[in-house]
């Protein structure tokens, strides 16, 4: 994969999908359906998916594509592929809380190497450049030209006063028990893949996830975090979180700045 070709394409597709999502978000009403796994899906999920998948297939026809909204892609197998969650944080979208993102990533050899996370309601855009460095773009987000960017990097964490980020809608006792192993200065809550981005920018130090996620939920945020000097490991044995698993389901994991003294499960 030529990263110089890839990065502008996934950035533009994320912006185009974001525009469509915000058009539906601003409507008086929108339909919410329930998928077979009881998770919600809206017209925005489906419209964003159509834009992104068509764009990726046109630009990279020979690369395997996995996308949340197309169940036929969930039986694909391989360790190198494009993976998409067109609207991560559908519950945040439905409740008009703004913490939702567009996620597109490239996985190579089981590792997310390039990705984009765009939060259209918050006006925040994070992506890995062709050279692998993650940046946050600021400005008017022109489709045809990358604007001003700021390189981002993880914190130099103070292990006596950590900033922890956790899910808005998936907190439970097991998560709290694990967080309590750390000396915590403060907690942030965020929806969707923004949690990875908060660690990538140094706004938080560690994000433990003791709940079900799929690879399309995490790949783009994982790529963004890797490009900012962070990492994501399995919760159980703290080995690297790998992609291309048989059902694209993730184990529990921890995303963190390497200066954090990780506690065992």
């Amino acid at each position: 994969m030529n990263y110089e070709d890839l990065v502008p394409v996934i950035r533009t597709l994320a912006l185009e999908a974001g525009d469509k999502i915000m058009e539906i978000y601003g409507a008086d009403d929108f339909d919410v359906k329930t998928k077979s796994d009881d998770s919600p899906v809206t017209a925005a999920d489906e419209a964003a998916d159509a834009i992104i998948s068509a764009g990726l297939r046109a630009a990279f026809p020979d690369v395997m594509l996995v996308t949340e909204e197309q169940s036929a892609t969930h039986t694909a197998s391989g360790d190198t592929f494009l993976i998409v969650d067109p609207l991560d944080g559908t519950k945040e979208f439905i409740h008009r809380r703004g913490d939702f993102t567009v996620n597109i990533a490239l996985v190579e050899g089981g590792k997310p190497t390039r990705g984009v996370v765009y939060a259209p309601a918050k006006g925040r855009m994070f992506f890995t450049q062709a050279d692998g460095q993650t940046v946050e773009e600021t400005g008017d987000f022109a489709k045809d030209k990358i604007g001003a960017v700021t390189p981002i990097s993880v914190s130099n964490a103070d292990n006596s006063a950590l900033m922890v980020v956790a899910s808005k809608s998936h907190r439970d006792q097991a998560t709290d028990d694990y967080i309590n192993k750390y000396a915590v200065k403060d907690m942030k809550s965020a929806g969707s893949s923004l949690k990875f981005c908060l660690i990538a920018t140094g706004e938080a130090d560690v994000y433990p996830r003791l709940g079900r996620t799929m690879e399309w939920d995490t790949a783009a945020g994982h790529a963004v975090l890797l490009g900012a000097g962070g990492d994501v490991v399995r919760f159980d044995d703290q080995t690297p979180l790998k992609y291309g698993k048989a059902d694209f389901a993730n184990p529990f994991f921890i995303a963190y700045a390497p200066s954090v003294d990780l506690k065992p499960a």
Side-chain angles (χ1 to χ4, degrees):
M1 173 64 76
N2 183 326
Y3 302 140
E4 297 281 358
D5 294 338
L6 173 74
V7 171
V9 169
I10 62 175
R11 174 193 168 276
T12 299
L13 289 172
L15 289 169
E16 290 174 349
D19 283 353
K20 190 65 182 177
I21 288 166
M22 293 307 293
E23 180 187 315
I24 295 168
Y25 189 66
D28 291 339
D29 197 17
F30 46 78
D31 288 336
V32 179
K33 296 181 282 190
T34 302
K35 294 193 284 193
S36 58
D37 63 357
D38 290 333
S39 65
V41 62
T42 71
D45 297 78
E46 294 170 341
D49 182 70
I51 289 166
I52 296 166
S53 58
L56 291 176
R57 286 188 171 118
F60 310 108
D62 300 326
V63 181
M64 183 173 122
L65 176 63
V66 179
T67 171
E68 179 181 12
E69 302 309 332
Q70 297 177 37
S71 57
T73 68
H74 301 174
T75 55
S77 64
D79 68 357
T80 297
F81 49 91
L82 291 158
I83 187 163
V84 176
D85 189 343
L87 176 51
D88 182 29
T90 301
K91 289 177 183 173
E92 305 291 328
F93 177 89
I94 291 167
H95 297 297
R96 290 189 160 91
R97 287 199 288 249
D99 267 19
F100 49 84
T101 54
V102 179
N103 297 274
I104 309 171
L106 172 68
V107 172
E108 296 178 290
K111 178 180 177 181
T113 56
R114 297 293 182 278
V116 58
V117 174
Y118 176 43
K122 291 190 168 291
R124 295 193 79 176
M125 155 83 81
F126 308 89
F127 63 89
T128 47
Q129 297 183 131
D131 65 3
Q133 167 71 51
T134 295
V135 294
E136 179 169 5
E137 182 175 349
T138 55
D140 58 0
F141 301 134
K143 305 289 192 304
D144 58 348
K145 185 170 184 271
I146 295 173
V149 297
T150 303
I152 58 174
S153 63
V154 295
S155 66
N156 183 13
D158 177 353
N159 282 284
S160 67
L162 291 175
M163 180 67 75
V164 176
V165 64
S167 173
K168 269 190 176 167
S169 48
H170 298 282
R171 280 284 292 283
D172 59 12
Q173 191 59 50
T175 304
D176 287 340
D177 289 347
Y178 182 69
I179 291 170
N180 287 337
K181 295 183 177 188
Y182 293 89
V184 177
K185 172 186 170 187
D186 204 357
M187 297 274 298
K188 291 189 173 198
S189 66
S192 70
S193 56
L194 283 171
K195 293 181 283 291
F196 294 97
C197 300
L198 291 176
I199 299 174
T201 60
E203 293 169 72
D205 303 310
V206 62
Y207 159 40
R209 179 58 183 257
L210 282 69
R212 178 177 170 81
T213 60
M214 304 300 286
E215 292 184 12
W216 44 78
D217 296 317
T218 60
H222 189 162
V224 162
L225 181 53
L226 287 173
D231 209 352
V232 185
V233 294
R234 294 174 59 108
F235 180 74
D236 53 5
D237 60 9
Q238 295 184 6
T239 58
L241 181 65
K242 294 287 193 184
Y243 289 75
K245 299 180 288 294
D247 54 0
F248 298 102
N250 287 324
F252 297 170
F253 63 81
I254 309 165
Y256 66 105
S259 50
V260 174
D261 177 19
L262 284 188
K263 306 299 184 187

